[in-house]
Amino acid sequence: MIHFVLLISRQGKVRLTKWYSPYSQKERAKVLRELSGMILTRGPKLCNFVEWRGYKVVYKRYASLYFCMCINQEDNELEILEIIHQYVEILDRYFGSVCELDLIFNFHKAYYILEEILLAGELQESSKKAVARLIGAQDSMVEDAKEQASSIKNMIAQATK
Amino acid sequence: MALSGMRGLSVFISDIRNCQNKEQERLRVDKELGNIRTRFKNEKGLTPYEKKKYVWKMLYIFMLGYDVDFGHMEAVSLISAPKYPEKQVGYIVTSCLLNENHDFLRLAINTVRNDIIGRNETFQCLALTLVGNIGGREFSESLAPDVQKLLMSSSCRPLVRKKAALCLLRLYRKNPDVVNVDGWSDRMAQLLDERDLGVLTSSMSLLVSLVSNNHEAYWSCLPKCVKILERLARNQDVPQEYTYYGIPSPWLQVKTMRALQYFPTVEDPNTRRSLFEVLQRILMGTDVVKNVNKNNASHAVLFEALALVMHLDAEKEMMSQCVALLGKFIAVREPNIRYLGLENMTRMLMVTDVQDIIKRHQAQIITSLKDPDISIRRRALDLLYGMCDVSNAKDIVEELLQYLSTADFAMREELSLKAAILAEKFAPDLSWYVDVILQLIDKAGDFVSDDIWFRVVQFVTNNEDLQPYAALKAREYLDKHAIHETMVKVSAYILGEYGHLLARRPGCSPKEIFCIIHEKLPTVSTSTIPILLSTYAKILMHTQPPDKELQSQIWAIFSKYESCIDAEIQQRAVEYHALSMKGAALMDILAEMPKFPERQSSLIRKAEDAEADTAEQSAIKLRAQQQTSNALVVTDQCPANGTQAVNPLGLVKVPSMSNAERSNAQQGATHANGALTVVDPQLLSTPSPDLLGDLLGPLAIEGPPGTGPQIESRMASDLEGGANADALAIAPVEEQTQTVQPIGNIAERFRALCLKDSGVLYEDPYIQIGIKAEWRAHHGRLVLFLGNKNIAPLSSVQALILPPSHLNMELSLVPETIPPRAQVQCPLEVINLKPSRDLAVLDFSYKFGTHVVDAKLRLPAVFNKTAVEAARSGQRCKTYATGEMANLFISFRMMVCPGLDPNTNNLVASTTFYSESTRAMLCLVRIETDPADRTQLRMTVASGDPTLTFELKEFIKEQLVYIPVPSRAPNPGPPPNPTPQALPTSPNPSPPSAVSDPGALLAGTVGEMNNTMHGLGWRE
């Protein structure tokens, strides 16, 4: 089971967090502090796993951003590493060559996409296409609602003229 | 791309980004929170857009780590908005902002439920996502049935059902009762027929969690899992979009194999065969490719397959294939694969028979101990720790010691603890052990806990041969300029006790020893000074004839510390000063410390405790589990048993306080010195964590009162009379025989071994004898594992086999001594010449200290061992005539063959019996029962050999009579050394009148059995 997902920049800034196990805000801060201290200092040619408090953290660096997922000791590490990659590929496709800035300003989008990939700390959907379809459908629902609202606004505006 | 811009949010985020420092950021955040708070106060005036914007801002602030203690209500209220955009934001923000324990979440339960049972599938998805991510116990109580309905519904689309599956998983984690529904396991099996890979993946995660807690209910899922695995790995039958770099959903493959690992075994031969085919394909067909992601995905599958193969205890060939693969992995450059190779090799240690192959990779593993990556170093350390045994302990521990000087601080404590444990457990000789611990203290004193040096003191105290050596070593270390305080403690202690043994060596006169120890005094802390004072007192005592100068020097120190502010130091100084004035009386009081009673090493216990709250699979645990089979357990001495506690103190005579005449005789040999044994009975009965609690206060003056006069008399009778716990400290020096009581019931152990192939045959406080048997036709190979549980050697070890006429037995040489903490293996070859129920007896004896122990043990080379389940086609049936009896037959290695007899009340079993005279011989057994009258049954035995038929009949009869009664009498307490033949089966007992005891009941019924049929006239 994945206990949490963290996106941390090379400077140690938090870009996204998602917690599947209950942690208080205080504990979260501690986790972030400890893990960024451990992970950001690791050299480039080391393995993608660090052992931490009896758990394992699988991480991978993409450009300036570290994607980290914390799992149980007995879980399959490589499987998680490729979930990270899958997430990155989907983000990349959605934003069109994603960069850190995209995720900073659209962190809510990053959440929407993550919600379609993971649920309850487990992989929910392993098809990139299926995720893209679902996100597309959600976006168009939001757009439709917006258009509807503005057309109603226009109608009201015209009627009250 | 549809990025719906929220300008206010973007502006806020870039403001935060532009903050120069944390202080500015905090100011900006506070300002924003103030703004949001005022906006929320007047909620009516907010447009839906504004509401969304503010809750996103709140979430952003919260994500940065700031406390947000308001606005939860607004986020939750968005959930009940009618339109999708608001609802979506409400759900997602709530699930990030709140956790399962939050009170506000309760407010949402109703809305969430309405969305789940409503018709709108996008709303269903949102609601299920929230519950799946943060649902707690309350949610699981009120929503589980609805979620289950969605999961099983045929009208729901896969996008809803896959979420329902994982949502249910969450609810199950919070409250396992949610699947306590009739027919749930059938529905679970039905889910595995799903074609949609999204739903299947989610369902598989659910299954993994379910079977990890209780596999029994889900046996029907097992063949389906194998089918799925075949579909993916062999047939590659998945839609294009579910392949990942050309690999059919690696995640589903991994999960499926994970689920299979929770079933203890795969019984059905066809399923097993297909599974092994797939596994073989994965093991052989995974190549290293250039693409990193493809490589990772295929190796994720490969490592899971390896784990499954290990779990299934595959044939040796496949196992060695796995070890070979792992051997390759631990040598590659790619760090991930190397890491996982080391990790899985550690797991592999659990598998029997491969340890030797793993040992071949020792050099490679040691290289990884020097890897730049700490994760890899940790794995290497764990593996080395796990694979260490008597044969390679020297190399491994020395390697660890070498590494210790360069290791990073994060690892030193673990490293020194592990080195100390290995040195203790596998020391080829004790002087090496002392060397290792002293080096350990020298190199990493800060990381050597008190337990470690307490332990070395115990070993030295309990082994006389070791004392001069340890003293010499301690003396050598003191020559170094800067030594760690722990080294001062241990060397001062050892030199105080045994420094006099070195008196003839240059530089080791009492005075010189005193000087060199005293040099260290200014550098040590108050906790060490008491030890130094004791050392001085002991040096003074050992200086014969008294050296006036030394005496005045030491007295000066004592009087200086008599006014010390530390109570412990002060008391010692006052007491030693006063005592040392007494002259000869000092001898009695300051004599050598008595031996320590055997206790479980607190180090090992500590390691096991630490284990409890960390990883499940680490080597410490493996080690702990192995111990039981290795017979190398350091047990707690059972305090109830007086005779056990006697041993370690065996050499100690108890002086009486008033007895003065005695002291003359003791001038010479120090070890014969009378010692005041301060054995607090409580210490013995409750093993205290502080092992040297009594050691650090070595001179407390308390004699066991009232025992004095008896010393010179022989005490054996007293002890054997099971006399009393206060006789603990007293034991005569004369040899004793047979005061050592076995642990556990020998007869029970024997019976258990008749039905299985490995286990413990005998155990007492000093030795454990394990046995492992392998049978092929009429040849058997038994291995006896003789494990010395002590820190002193066992001598005069002898093992004699007294075989019955029908068995040919050959025992390989048993070594005369078993070194401390070591285990020796003695293979024993058995050939069965003809059928007979007579038993072989092992006459085993050894000497420990003054105890001579002789045990006569029956060997479990019994009749049924040379029987082999006749490989018949019939599948095992679930409706046995009497289930218990069927199980019994299976444990005799007889195959129960349902369907051969049309009467379902009857039980038919078959087996092939092997012996040299009969060769392979088919035997058939039929038990006829009458459901109306359970007190009777008829047994018919048939085979081609009359002796065999008779013996088999008698054997089954004996065993049937012996069916244990599970509910009652946990301690049936059979006589100490019964033979099965002597069991209460008279050849023709009449059915008992009082039928209360099932055993007796059966005894009666067996009497009805006949053995009429010889030959194979019985049709199938």
Side-chain angles (χ1 to χ4, degrees):
Chain A
M1 175 196 176
I2 299 169
H3 296 281
F4 52 79
V5 178
L6 306 177
L7 271 64
I8 310 173
S9 79
R10 215 172 36 159
Q11 290 80 29
K13 294 241 188 287
V14 184
R15 297 305 181 208
L16 197 81
T17 61
K18 180 81 190 171
W19 309 82
Y20 296 99
S21 295
Y23 289 82
S24 71
Q25 186 77 338
K26 217 175 179 178
E27 289 164 341
R28 291 180 185 192
K30 195 161 169 243
V31 169
L32 277 162
R33 213 170 35 242
E34 280 180 25
L35 283 181
S36 31
M38 276 174 80
I39 291 172
L40 303 184
T41 50
R42 279 171 68 83
K45 292 217 168 119
L46 308 184
C47 70
N48 293 93
F49 323 123
V50 290
E51 293 169 21
W52 168 80
R53 291 205 214 159
Y55 295 102
K56 277 189 184 153
V57 179
V58 178
Y59 73 95
K60 186 152 187 188
R61 181 176 163 182
Y62 289 89
S64 56
L65 211 51
Y66 286 84
F67 288 69
C68 319
M69 293 189 181
C70 172
I71 53 173
N72 291 332
Q73 195 120 42
E74 68 277 4
D75 290 344
N76 189 316
E77 298 88 347
L78 289 175
E79 172 198 33
I80 302 298
L81 197 56
E82 291 317 290
I83 292 181
I84 292 179
H85 187 70
Q86 180 89 339
Y87 182 38
V88 173
E89 282 195 353
I90 293 171
L91 288 172
D92 197 54
R93 194 174 294 187
Y94 183 78
F95 286 98
S97 171
V98 68
C99 66
E100 193 184 338
L101 270 182
D102 289 325
L103 297 183
I104 294 172
F105 286 101
N106 296 289
F107 75 100
H108 50 304
K109 290 288 172 192
Y111 269 126
Y112 290 146
I113 295 172
L114 189 60
E115 298 277 63
E116 293 303 326
I117 298 174
L118 297 179
L119 179 58
E122 303 284 346
L123 181 70
Q124 172 192 177
E125 183 53 79
S126 59
S127 153
K128 275 178 279 204
K129 271 194 192 149
V131 174
R133 275 199 303 270
L134 292 167
I135 297 292
Q138 289 174 10
D139 280 345
S140 59
M141 265 190 287
V142 174
E143 286 301 313
D144 289 352
K146 216 194 266 174
E147 269 169 34
Q148 235 178 5
S150 63
S151 67
I152 291 174
K153 219 185 260 169
N154 287 344
M155 275 155 67
I156 296 172
Q158 278 178 355
T160 50
K161 226 176 217 172
Chain B
M1 185 174 82
L3 294 179
S4 48
M6 256 184 272
R7 211 176 146 266
L9 182 60
S10 304
V11 169
F12 173 62
I13 292 174
S14 57
D15 279 0
I16 293 285
R17 268 172 57 76
N18 291 334
C19 289
Q20 298 295 320
N21 52 41
K22 203 75 193 156
E23 196 44 42
Q24 279 185 10
E25 185 184 292
R26 171 167 287 283
L27 284 173
R28 181 67 187 86
V29 164
D30 284 345
K31 186 181 151 202
E32 193 62 39
L33 285 176
N35 176 28
I36 299 172
R37 201 190 294 263
T38 37
R39 291 302 190 122
F40 279 160
K41 273 207 179 114
N42 183 11
E43 207 193 324
K44 288 267 152 46
L46 286 179
T47 64
Y49 169 79
E50 283 172 316
K51 248 191 185 175
K52 279 193 311 194
K53 185 176 76 183
Y54 291 127
V55 296
W56 275 124
K57 278 185 183 173
M58 267 168 41
L59 178 57
Y60 190 76
I61 291 169
F62 187 66
M63 202 175 79
L64 291 180
Y66 295 95
D67 282 321
V68 177
D69 48 10
F70 68 95
H72 299 149
M73 191 64 206
E74 280 73 14
V76 173
S77 71
L78 277 175
I79 290 179
S80 43
K83 291 222 179 74
Y84 180 76
E86 284 79 46
K87 210 183 232 326
Q88 183 195 29
V89 174
Y91 268 118
I92 204 160
V93 173
T94 304
S95 73
C96 293
L97 215 48
L98 306 184
N99 70 30
E100 65 182 67
N101 308 316
H102 213 286
D103 286 340
F104 268 113
L105 217 47
R106 259 184 233 145
L107 301 176
I109 288 190
N110 254 333
T111 326
V112 173
R113 175 151 197 269
N114 286 336
D115 282 338
I116 285 181
I117 58 178
R119 290 289 165 95
N120 185 326
E121 72 175 11
T122 45
F123 290 3
Q124 284 175 334
C125 287
L126 289 174
L128 289 171
T129 307
L130 176 104
V131 179
N133 284 336
I134 58 166
R137 207 179 157 91
E138 270 177 74
F139 277 82
S140 81
E141 274 156 16
S142 53
L143 297 179
D146 300 319
V147 176
Q148 278 167 357
K149 216 177 281 168
L150 286 184
L151 175 58
M152 302 313 300
S153 149
S154 53
S155 58
C156 272
R157 288 208 295 159
L159 79 146
V160 179
R161 294 180 55 215
K162 70 184 182 196
K163 283 185 197 289
L166 290 176
C167 186
L168 190 62
L169 167 57
R170 167 94 190 187
L171 300 181
Y172 171 72
R173 283 183 186 144
K174 297 297 157 194
N175 174 15
D177 290 338
V178 300
V179 297
N180 282 349
V181 188
D182 268 351
W184 175 254
S185 49
D186 295 338
R187 277 184 259 170
M188 195 64 232
Q190 189 190 328
L191 275 174
L192 298 182
D193 295 330
E194 176 64 44
R195 291 299 293 178
D196 182 274
L197 272 262
V199 179
L200 194 54
T201 308
S202 302
S203 305
M204 196 55 84
S205 295
L206 176 60
L207 179 69
V208 169
S209 190
L210 294 174
V211 292
S212 71
N213 287 338
N214 168 23
H215 65 269
E216 284 296 338
Y218 299 97
W219 278 109
S220 56
C221 296
L222 191 148
K224 300 205 171 186
C225 289
V226 176
K227 284 260 157 54
I228 293 171
L229 208 54
E230 281 186 299
R231 175 184 161 194
L232 295 170
R234 197 184 63 194
N235 310 343
Q236 314 241 325
D237 169 24
V238 292
Q240 174 63 31
E241 61 179 288
Y242 282 97
T243 56
Y244 182 80
Y245 289 89
I247 302 164
S249 186
W251 296 285
L252 182 52
Q253 291 194 46
V254 167
K255 278 183 212 304
T256 312
M257 287 191 272
R258 182 52 64 100
L260 287 169
Q261 284 168 61
Y262 287 109
F263 291 99
T265 170
V266 180
E267 297 216 346
D268 176 54
N270 290 329
T271 315
R272 197 177 162 90
R273 197 176 323 111
S274 339
L275 179 57
F276 273 110
E277 261 174 47
V278 178
L279 290 175
Q280 185 71 37
R281 179 185 291 263
I282 295 172
L283 290 188
M284 291 287 86
T286 309
D287 297 319
V288 178
V289 292
K290 246 191 155 171
N291 183 301
V292 182
N293 301 104
K294 181 168 184 170
N295 224 13
N296 284 344
S298 64
H299 281 81
V301 174
L302 176 58
F303 277 111
E304 206 61 50
L306 275 170
L308 183 54
V309 170
M310 282 184 236
H311 169 76
L312 290 175
D313 231 356
E315 298 90 73
K316 202 155 184 191
E317 201 181 318
M318 203 161 185
M319 281 299 182
S320 23
Q321 222 174 36
C322 292
V323 183
L325 265 178
L326 289 174
K328 214 171 75 189
F329 290 154
I330 62 169
V332 297
R333 287 220 352 244
E334 216 281 298
N336 287 343
I337 303 296
R338 192 140 43 95
Y339 175 93
L340 294 170
L342 290 166
E343 181 177 46
N344 282 281
M345 209 176 242
T346 311
R347 288 179 189 162
M348 197 88 191
L349 288 172
M350 290 288 284
V351 179
T352 41
D353 299 341
V354 296
Q355 280 90 343
D356 286 335
I357 320 180
I358 291 178
K359 276 189 208 157
R360 283 184 221 146
H361 298 286
Q362 191 169 316
Q364 183 62 47
I365 300 165
I366 286 173
T367 327
S368 285
L369 198 58
K370 293 156 192 156
D371 195 274
D373 187 345
I374 187 169
S375 300
I376 290 178
R377 288 198 299 269
R378 274 188 205 283
R379 285 299 111 224
L381 174 59
D382 229 21
L383 176 53
L384 283 174
Y385 179 71
M387 66 192 274
C388 190
D389 62 17
V390 185
S391 73
N392 55 11
K394 242 178 163 152
D395 294 343
I396 289 183
V397 172
E398 264 147 37
E399 207 52 63
L400 296 184
L401 281 176
Q402 209 180 39
Y403 172 47
L404 195 59
S405 4
T406 52
D408 23 353
F409 285 92
M411 274 181 80
R412 283 197 188 183
E413 184 164 10
E414 189 186 354
L415 196 58
S416 45
L417 182 65
K418 284 185 168 165
I421 292 175
L422 292 179
E424 179 183 331
K425 290 183 83 160
F426 301 116
D429 58 83
L430 287 168
S431 54
W432 177 81
Y433 169 73
V434 171
D435 283 347
V436 168
I437 301 298
L438 291 180
Q439 276 188 60
L440 206 58
I441 297 173
D442 188 38
K443 288 184 169 173
D446 285 339
F447 300 95
V448 174
S449 60
D450 281 348
D451 297 333
I452 296 179
W453 82 264
F454 289 177
R455 196 67 182 155
V456 78
V457 165
Q458 287 186 331
F459 271 92
V460 173
T461 310
N462 287 12
N463 289 273
E464 275 159 48
D465 303 346
L466 199 56
Q467 290 160 0
Y469 181 79
L472 188 64
K473 278 285 159 186
R475 173 69 187 79
E476 280 171 16
Y477 274 104
L478 283 177
D479 280 336
K480 285 192 161 190
H481 278 299
I483 59 172
H484 193 271
E485 191 167 338
T486 308
M487 186 64 91
V488 178
K489 287 183 188 170
V490 68
S491 36
Y493 184 91
I494 290 177
L495 285 173
E497 289 289 317
Y498 311 111
H500 58 278
L501 301 176
L502 302 178
R504 283 160 201 247
R505 291 173 189 267
C508 296
S509 70
K511 188 148 192 214
E512 282 161 311
I513 290 181
F514 164 73
C515 287
I516 197 155
I517 294 176
H518 192 52
E519 260 174 39
K520 314 289 179 194
L521 189 124
T523 63
V524 298
S525 66
T526 45
S527 67
T528 308
I529 294 176
I531 297 174
L532 296 188
L533 294 183
S534 304
T535 305
Y536 299 162
K538 293 223 169 188
I539 289 177
L540 203 53
M541 185 266 293
H542 283 301
T543 314
Q544 298 296 347
D547 175 342
K548 287 285 169 220
E549 195 191 331
L550 180 65
Q551 198 175 40
S552 58
Q553 240 176 326
I554 292 178
W555 282 354
I557 298 166
F558 286 156
S559 55
K560 178 183 156 201
Y561 281 104
E562 274 168 12
S563 51
C564 179
I565 192 156
D566 183 279
E568 176 68 33
I569 297 175
Q570 189 186 33
Q571 186 178 359
R572 286 198 194 205
V574 171
E575 287 177 0
Y576 292 161
H577 200 177
L579 285 169
S580 57
M581 302 282 195
K582 287 196 162 190
L586 194 63
M587 285 294 184
D588 292 348
I589 299 151
L590 290 180
E592 197 174 303
M593 286 298 292
K595 294 195 175 189
F596 288 89
E598 263 304 304
R599 295 189 192 119
Q600 183 185 15
S601 164
S602 70
L603 286 186
I604 294 167
R605 202 166 47 210
K606 194 165 146 193
E608 283 163 7
D609 287 351
E611 181 46 26
D613 40 58
T614 57
E616 199 183 0
Q617 281 290 357
S618 102
I620 297 176
K621 186 154 185 184
L622 299 188
R623 169 70 60 213
Q625 287 166 348
Q626 279 175 335
Q627 275 174 25
T628 47
S629 62
N630 275 352
L632 261 181
V633 203
V634 192
T635 44
D636 272 324
Q637 293 268 320
C638 169
N641 193 339
T643 48
Q644 287 176 28
V646 164
N647 149 61
L649 303 172
L651 284 175
V652 180
K653 278 190 184 176
V654 181
S656 62
M657 295 290 288
S658 55
N659 219 344
E661 90 235 47
R662 199 180 26 82
S663 54
N664 307 339
Q666 291 171 342
Q667 296 281 357
T670 358
H671 68 262
N673 250 348
L676 268 187
T677 51
V678 189
V679 182
D680 181 353
Q682 276 198 332
L683 267 172
L684 284 171
S685 53
T686 51
S688 99
D690 182 357
L691 289 176
L692 292 201
D694 45 351
L695 180 122
L696 288 178
L699 299 172
I701 307 162
E702 246 177 78
T707 48
Q710 305 168 353
I711 321 153
E712 314 300 337
S713 71
R714 308 188 56 152
M715 299 275 301
S717 57
D718 257 17
L719 282 164
E720 278 178 5
N724 31 41
D726 55 340
L728 280 183
I730 338 150
V733 186
E734 292 89 55
E735 289 212 336
Q736 293 178 310
T737 37
Q738 292 297 25
T739 52
V740 177
Q741 289 298 318
I743 297 170
N745 186 317
I746 298 180
E748 283 299 309
R749 289 187 192 280
F750 169 75
R751 278 201 44 77
L753 281 170
C754 288
L755 301 182
K756 57 183 191 168
D757 281 338
S758 61
V760 176
L761 182 68
Y762 172 82
E763 185 172 3
D764 70 25
Y766 311 121
I767 196 165
Q768 189 187 48
I769 306 179
I771 197 163
K772 193 174 163 189
E774 258 177 68
W775 294 91
R776 292 243 156 73
H778 58 287
H779 290 275
R781 184 184 161 85
L782 276 67
V783 184
L784 295 174
F785 296 85
L786 311 174
N788 180 355
K789 298 177 7 182
N790 278 282
I791 52 176
L794 296 180
S795 55
S796 318
V797 177
Q798 277 189 330
L800 267 175
I801 299 281
L802 316 168
S805 60
H806 73 288
L807 293 176
N808 234 345
M809 298 181 117
E810 221 170 281
L811 180 65
S812 70
L813 209 63
V814 178
E816 163 108 1
T817 39
I818 306 177
R821 290 293 156 74
Q823 187 192 53
V824 291
Q825 303 186 358
C826 309
L828 168 67
E829 303 288 345
V830 184
I831 300 172
N832 187 11
L833 302 174
K834 57 181 203 283
S836 163
R837 285 165 299 130
D838 293 341
L839 288 167
V841 173
L842 169 70
D843 183 351
F844 184 82
S845 63
Y846 68 90
K847 196 169 144 193
F848 175 78
T850 57
H851 298 263
V852 176
V853 180
D854 186 353
K856 293 196 172 48
L857 307 163
R858 287 169 297 147
L859 286 176
V862 288
F863 193 69
N864 63 315
K865 296 280 182 182
T866 51
V868 171
E869 276 185 21
R872 304 197 60 90
S873 59
Q875 282 190 324
R876 284 190 193 153
C877 172
K878 284 196 179 119
T879 51
Y880 296 125
T882 51
E884 192 182 18
M885 202 180 292
N887 286 335
L888 191 71
F889 276 113
I890 292 165
S891 64
F892 296 158
R893 303 178 178 222
M894 297 181 116
M895 175 85 160
V896 176
C897 316
L900 283 186
D901 194 319
N903 184 346
T904 52
N905 291 320
N906 295 350
L907 182 102
V908 177
S910 67
T911 190
T912 310
F913 179 83
Y914 289 90
S915 75
E916 210 163 67
S917 66
T918 58
R919 295 285 154 193
M921 180 72 74
L922 185 67
C923 312
L924 293 166
V925 179
R926 180 169 62 176
I927 307 275
E928 293 165 78
T929 60
D930 178 2
D933 181 7
R934 286 279 178 202
T935 60
Q936 298 204 358
L937 56 82
R938 180 200 301 270
M939 176 168 80
T940 315
V941 179
S943 84
D945 180 82
T947 339
L948 176 58
T949 311
F950 175 77
E951 294 286 338
L952 181 61
K953 185 204 78 177
E954 289 299 312
F955 175 78
I956 297 175
K957 199 162 99 181
E958 280 161 12
Q959 298 294 330
L960 283 180
V961 173
Y962 222 103
I963 289 182
V965 193
S967 55
R968 298 190 298 129
N971 277 323
N977 226 346
T979 54
Q981 284 84 353
L983 286 170
T985 16
S986 57
N988 242 335
S990 55
S993 45
V995 262
S996 56
D997 177 57
L1001 187 136
L1002 269 164
T1005 57
V1006 175
E1008 299 295 307
M1009 296 187 290
N1010 61 14
N1011 57 328
T1012 49
M1013 300 179 74
H1014 294 304
L1016 290 169
W1018 201 25
R1019 277 189 298 128
E1020 292 184 356

